[in-house]
Amino acid sequence: MMLNLISMIVMFIILMILFMLMIMINMKMKFNYNKSAPFECGFDPFNKSRIPFSLNFYLIAIIFLIFDIEISIIMPMILNFKISNMIYFNLMFIIFFMFMIITIFYEWKFGSLNWKI
């Protein structure tokens, strides 16, 4: 019981030292307004906010989101490789990659990957 109390006190002291160190380091840094300003989609945040939004940034963000989600689906499939049936695993993998290939060709045909609009 006493050992747990001592270890908690030591951890609390270390935590406080680190917290004070972070505060001291943060106080020494100079504030730069340009570095703290938000950066969104290539816009200059100091101009008018009513300028038209570029559709290319939106389309690339959607494409990135789609393929990022597909990568997050692939990772558990790889981890599940050893415990699954090989026929079902290969079938699922082929269907999934065919879906990815069809999606990229659809976006190519639709013109989402073209920057010459």
Side-chain angles (χ1 to χ4, degrees):
M1 179 78 172
M2 191 65 169
L3 186 62
N4 287 339
L5 183 63
I6 292 172
S7 65
M8 286 178 58
I9 290 172
V10 168
M11 292 298 255
F12 183 74
I13 291 171
I14 292 172
L15 181 67
M16 284 296 137
I17 290 171
L18 288 175
F19 184 69
M20 291 304 218
L21 185 66
M22 286 186 344
I23 289 175
M24 289 172 51
I25 289 173
N26 193 22
M27 291 173 93
K28 290 180 181 180
M29 295 178 72
K30 295 179 181 177
F31 181 73
N32 189 346
Y33 186 73
N34 290 332
K35 287 186 180 179
S36 65
F39 179 75
E40 298 178 9
C41 302
F43 287 119
D44 186 11
F46 305 111
N47 287 341
K48 296 178 185 176
S49 62
R50 298 288 179 192
I51 58 177
F53 184 74
S54 175
L55 188 62
N56 292 331
F57 285 114
Y58 175 74
L59 291 175
I60 293 298
I62 295 297
I63 291 169
F64 173 76
L65 183 65
I66 289 170
F67 285 103
D68 191 42
I69 290 172
E70 288 177 354
I71 292 298
S72 67
I73 292 172
I74 288 174
M75 293 305 287
M77 287 176 65
I78 294 171
L79 295 175
N80 197 15
F81 178 70
K82 288 184 180 179
I83 61 173
S84 67
N85 188 354
M86 284 303 289
I87 296 171
Y88 293 134
F89 182 80
N90 287 336
L91 183 64
M92 178 83 110
F93 220 63
I94 289 170
I95 291 171
F96 185 73
F97 276 114
M98 288 303 293
F99 176 72
M100 282 180 57
I101 290 169
I102 290 169
T103 305
I104 195 74
F105 280 125
Y106 175 76
E107 289 171 353
W108 189 11
K109 184 176 177 57
F110 179 67
S112 297
L113 302 176
N114 251 351
W115 282 88
K116 299 176 187 176
I117 293 178

